[in-house]
């Protein structure tokens, strides 16, 4: 490890920790946090803005897309990719290297998580349509290199969760896609998109599995906030747009058609009984997690993206530019 961030509410204690580490190892204090592992931090009294602008521009430069035409959304609507259509790439290494870089970009960019999840499923044998889809994503990144997450300083410290699934979305295996997003106040702090490991015969089953996965993440985050001394209001609203899944969570009696998801039922019901979560019905039009399980055209994509809290610039564009400029100067110093 050669990079570390020290934070806390007690400046004296933080300084003592840095002094102790410096007495044991050769370290260098670079001052207030501005750049860490490819992530730019722009501070203000109103909050903290996180983006990966320089990392995104590096990806575009390495791929030869710095002068390309930008796109408004990351993936063509209703595009179905499989491992049997198109010509197999003679050299898969550029595709694999590109997807590997894009995976790290999802740390701050939840708007591209669904696309990167699909592209990563073809790294064993990429074809030309897969590369074309990856290039379309680069067109989208060309128009949005500075977009990231804004963490509000005065936001309420309570969790809100959304979960959703796309039933049998994989054309090759007919497995479903699960997605969830969890907010701390108005800022997204945890999100995930993953293809389920088994084939489900009902949409209620896949929706309930998404609810169970989100419940496990909520449990972990609640423990983390408790360890940090943050009092979060309970129960945590868990928004789901499937009425059948909500009925299963509320019904204490197992029926024959729910025996195959018994473990998920116990996970969710136990947390409901403990008062940790409160499953809540939400309209499909307000389900922000759709962005993690489906591809949309421009109007729907921009609408869901705005609800996620993704912004094109932080509290001050000039602050962000100074942070990036400062990092570039530091890199030049090390190169010299």
């Amino acid at each position: 490890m050669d990079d570390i961030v020290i934070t806390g509410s007690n400046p004296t204690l933080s300084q003592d920790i840095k002094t102790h580490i410096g007495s044991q190892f050769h370290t260098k204090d670079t001052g207030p946090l501005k750049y860490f592992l490819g992530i730019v931090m722009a501070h203000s009294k109103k909050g903290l803005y996180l983006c990966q602008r320089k990392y995104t521009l590096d990806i575009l430069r390495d791929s030869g897309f710095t002068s390309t035409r930008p796109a408004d959304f990351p993936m063509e609507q209703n595009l179905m990719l499989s491992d049997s259509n198109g010509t197999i790439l003679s050299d898969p290494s550029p595709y694999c290297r590109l997807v590997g870089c894009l995976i790290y970009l999802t740390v701050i960019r939840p708007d591209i998580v669904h696309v990167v999840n699909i592209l990563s499923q073809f790294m064993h044998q990429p074809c030309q349509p897969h590369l074309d889809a990856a290039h379309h994503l680069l067109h989208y990144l060309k128009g949005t290199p500075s977009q990231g997450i804004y963490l509000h300083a005065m936001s309420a410290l309570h969790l809100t969760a959304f979960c959703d699934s796309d039933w049998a979305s994989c054309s090759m295996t007919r497995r479903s896609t699960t997605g969830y997003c969890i907010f701390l106040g108005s800022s997204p702090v945890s999100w995930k998109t993953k293809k389920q490991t088994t084939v489900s015969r009902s949409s209620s089953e896949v929706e309930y599995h998404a609810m169970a996965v989100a419940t496990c993440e909520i449990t972990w985050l609640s423990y983390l906030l408790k360890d940090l001394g943050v009092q979060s209001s309970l129960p945590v609203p868990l928004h789901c747009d499937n009425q059948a899944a909500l009925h299963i969570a509320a019904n204490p009696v197992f029926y024959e058609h729910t025996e195959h998801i018994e473990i998920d039922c116990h996970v969710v019901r136990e947390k409901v009984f403990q008062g940790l979560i409160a499953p809540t019905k939400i309209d499909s039009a307000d389900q922000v997690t759709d962005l993690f399980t489906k591809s949309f055209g421009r109007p729907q994509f921009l609408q869901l993206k705005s609800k996620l809290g993704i912004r094109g610039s932080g509290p001050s564009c000039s602050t962000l530019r100074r942070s990036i400029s400062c990092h570039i100067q530091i890199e030049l110093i090390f190169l010299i």
Side-chain angles (χ1 to χ4, degrees):
M1 180 183 295
D2 56 2
D3 296 288
I4 187 173
V5 176
I6 299 177
T7 182
S9 58
N10 190 330
T12 303
L13 181 59
S14 300
Q15 184 59 45
D16 292 341
I17 294 175
K18 290 190 289 186
T19 302
H20 177 71
I21 295 177
S23 64
Q24 304 295 324
F25 306 96
H26 178 67
T27 61
K28 180 181 180 180
D29 186 1
T30 58
L33 184 63
K34 296 181 179 178
Y35 188 89
F36 184 73
L37 299 180
I39 302 174
V40 178
M41 292 82 170
H43 303 262
S44 77
K45 294 182 179 179
K46 296 182 179 180
L48 176 65
Y49 181 69
L50 308 176
C51 79
Q52 293 173 285
R53 174 182 171 84
K54 183 181 181 300
Y55 183 77
T56 302
L57 295 178
D58 289 342
I59 294 177
L60 294 173
R61 185 186 66 249
D62 294 342
S63 304
F65 277 74
T66 53
S67 301
T68 189
R69 175 177 54 85
D72 294 328
F73 47 93
M75 189 175 188
E76 293 293 340
Q77 188 175 11
N78 300 323
L79 177 63
M80 300 296 292
L81 296 176
S82 67
D83 54 4
S84 59
N85 58 352
T87 305
I88 299 176
L89 299 179
S90 58
D91 183 13
S93 57
Y95 177 86
C96 296
R97 183 169 58 252
L98 174 59
V99 175
C101 294
L102 293 173
I103 289 175
Y104 184 66
L105 190 59
T106 60
V107 173
I108 300 297
R109 296 291 299 266
D111 53 329
I112 66 171
V113 169
H114 174 60
V115 183
V116 175
N117 174 62
I118 294 177
L119 296 177
S120 62
Q121 299 177 25
F122 304 103
M123 295 181 69
H124 63 288
Q125 193 178 61
C127 300
Q128 187 61 43
H130 310 146
L131 183 61
D132 294 339
H135 287 171
H136 187 276
L137 177 56
L138 292 178
H139 284 277
Y140 170 71
L141 294 176
K142 174 61 170 61
T144 59
S146 300
Q147 290 193 346
I149 297 175
Y150 182 48
L151 304 177
H152 296 266
M154 305 305 295
S155 178
L157 298 179
H158 63 267
L159 297 174
T160 306
F162 297 82
C163 66
D164 188 37
S165 289
D166 191 13
W167 183 36
S169 57
C170 180
S171 60
M172 300 173 292
T173 62
R174 285 304 173 186
R175 294 179 182 178
S176 306
T177 302
T178 294
Y180 67 77
C181 184
I182 302 177
F183 291 77
L184 181 62
S186 59
S187 305
V189 294
S190 179
W191 53 84
K192 186 176 184 179
T193 296
K194 185 178 181 181
K195 186 165 69 174
Q196 295 185 6
T197 57
T198 58
V199 180
S200 301
R201 299 183 62 183
S202 70
S203 59
S204 301
E205 178 183 343
V206 300
E207 294 283 356
Y208 199 86
H209 179 71
M211 189 180 296
V213 174
T215 299
C216 295
E217 184 69 9
I218 293 171
T219 303
W220 182 82
L221 287 174
S222 63
Y223 287 146
L224 177 61
L225 292 175
K226 184 178 180 180
D227 291 340
L228 295 174
V230 177
Q231 297 296 327
S232 179
S233 59
L234 297 176
V236 176
L238 177 55
H239 298 290
C240 176
D241 59 3
N242 186 277
Q243 191 66 58
L246 294 172
H247 285 322
I248 297 174
N251 195 335
V253 180
F254 285 101
Y255 292 99
E256 182 179 357
H257 65 278
T258 62
E259 290 181 353
H260 55 296
I261 56 173
E262 183 176 353
I263 295 178
D264 287 341
C265 287
H266 280 297
V267 169
V268 175
R269 288 175 181 167
E270 180 183 71
K271 300 306 177 183
V272 172
F273 179 77
Q274 294 176 355
L276 177 65
I277 64 171
T280 307
K281 180 69 170 67
I282 188 174
D283 293 336
S284 298
D286 299 325
Q287 179 58 275
V288 298
T289 322
D290 279 344
L291 198 64
F292 296 85
T293 58
K294 305 174 185 68
S295 57
F296 295 97
R298 183 179 184 274
Q300 291 175 293
F301 175 78
L302 295 179
Q303 180 183 10
L304 293 173
K305 179 181 173 182
S306 63
K307 293 181 179 180
L308 274 177
I310 302 174
R311 300 178 55 167
S313 61
S316 171
C317 294
S318 59
T319 302
L320 179 60
R321 287 193 294 267
R322 286 196 301 269
S323 299
I324 299 173
S325 176
C326 177
H327 168 70
I328 295 175
Q329 293 176 4
I330 292 174
E331 279 194 340
L332 290 175
I333 292 174
F334 280 117
L335 289 174
I336 293 175

